[in-house]
Amino acid sequence: VRGGISKAPYDRRVELPYHVKRSSNVEEKKRIAREAAENIHPNSTIWMDSSTTVYEMAKYLRPDMNLKVLTNDLMIGAELAVLPGVEAHVIGGMIRQGYFTLVGLFALSNLKGVQIDTAFFGSDALSIKGGCMLLNSDEIALKQQVMAASAECLLLADHTKFNTTAFMSFCRAEDIDQIITGKELADSLYDEYLAADINLLRV
């Protein structure tokens, strides 16, 4: 920059390694995950998307919730395997190397006929114009199928995802019943989303 240097912004056209995603904005992700878990109804079926923010939700699932949980994330599945009161279903599919995410035709076929009460999604980028976006197109069809099977859809997104772009959108921002983000999101962006009649919550 003129007269000095500054840190380059994160380029959302390049996907970060999994361990970097897990270690970014951890405290914010925990707050978002805790709030998201409050939206779970006992004795319901939920979807936990392959997302490092959604991963944090596993810590807030209580045994008395008596949940059926579906996921396409092997790391989330491992966390659910030791939780009492949770019937965990990890769908099959091709593993995205380095990301522990199951995708492809096998994953899609395993979701046929499934009815989900509440689905919790992550995304790589989010904007009012572009909607909820991903860098990897292999996950698009699966997310859309889960959305169609779900009575309620929530997006968990830390503040760095807002007003950025990625390769492909899987839904419009207004298709999400509620977006949960951190208190770090700027007031100007928060007001912009509310003005667009998008249900956005800062925690």
Side-chain angles (χ1 to χ4, degrees):
V1 298
R2 183 177 177 84
I5 60 172
S6 67
K7 183 178 180 180
Y10 164 43
D11 185 351
R12 297 233 171 243
R13 292 170 297 181
V14 179
E15 189 167 15
L16 293 173
Y18 181 82
H19 72 277
V20 175
K21 290 184 176 184
R22 278 282 298 273
S23 61
S24 301
N25 307 309
V26 175
E27 290 305 314
E28 181 183 4
K29 289 177 179 179
K30 287 180 178 179
R31 293 196 311 271
I32 294 169
R34 186 185 301 114
E35 177 64 31
E38 294 297 318
N39 288 271
I40 299 175
H41 303 290
N43 307 306
S44 63
T45 299
I46 70 170
W47 170 265
M48 292 180 67
D49 198 27
S50 186
S51 155
T52 56
T53 308
V54 175
Y55 170 88
E56 296 292 337
M57 281 182 61
K59 301 170 184 175
Y60 304 105
L61 302 183
R62 304 187 312 272
D64 63 316
M65 289 179 168
N66 189 34
L67 301 174
K68 285 184 174 65
V69 183
L70 293 89
T71 186
N72 67 324
D73 189 297
L74 295 176
M75 298 297 284
I76 291 175
E79 288 290 318
L80 298 176
V82 297
L83 294 182
V86 172
E87 181 184 304
H89 299 260
V90 179
I91 66 169
M94 179 184 71
I95 302 173
R96 284 193 63 213
Q97 189 172 15
Y99 291 98
F100 310 101
T101 303
L102 296 163
V103 296
L105 292 175
F106 286 128
L108 288 168
S109 64
N110 286 336
L111 284 172
K112 287 182 179 177
V114 170
Q115 297 297 310
I116 298 166
D117 296 304
T118 309
F120 299 91
F121 293 97
S123 70
D124 293 322
L126 171 66
S127 73
I128 293 174
K129 182 179 179 180
C132 306
M133 293 167 277
L134 297 177
L135 289 162
N136 174 53
S137 61
D138 290 340
E139 297 181 53
I140 297 290
L142 184 65
K143 288 182 189 288
Q144 291 175 337
Q145 185 167 329
V146 171
M147 287 190 73
S150 300
E152 183 181 32
C153 297
L154 281 74
L155 181 76
L156 314 188
D158 70 68
H159 74 284
T160 65
K161 306 292 179 64
F162 283 74
N163 279 21
T164 58
T165 61
F167 176 57
M168 188 177 291
S169 172
F170 65 89
C171 73
R172 302 175 303 169
E174 56 265 37
D175 293 332
I176 298 292
D177 294 295
Q178 185 177 55
I179 300 171
I180 305 176
T181 190
K183 59 187 178 183
E184 292 85 352
L185 184 71
D187 290 343
S188 58
L189 282 176
Y190 179 68
D191 292 340
E192 181 183 343
Y193 279 74
L194 293 186
D197 202 27
I198 294 169
N199 185 4
L200 176 62
L201 175 65
R202 289 188 297 186
V203 296

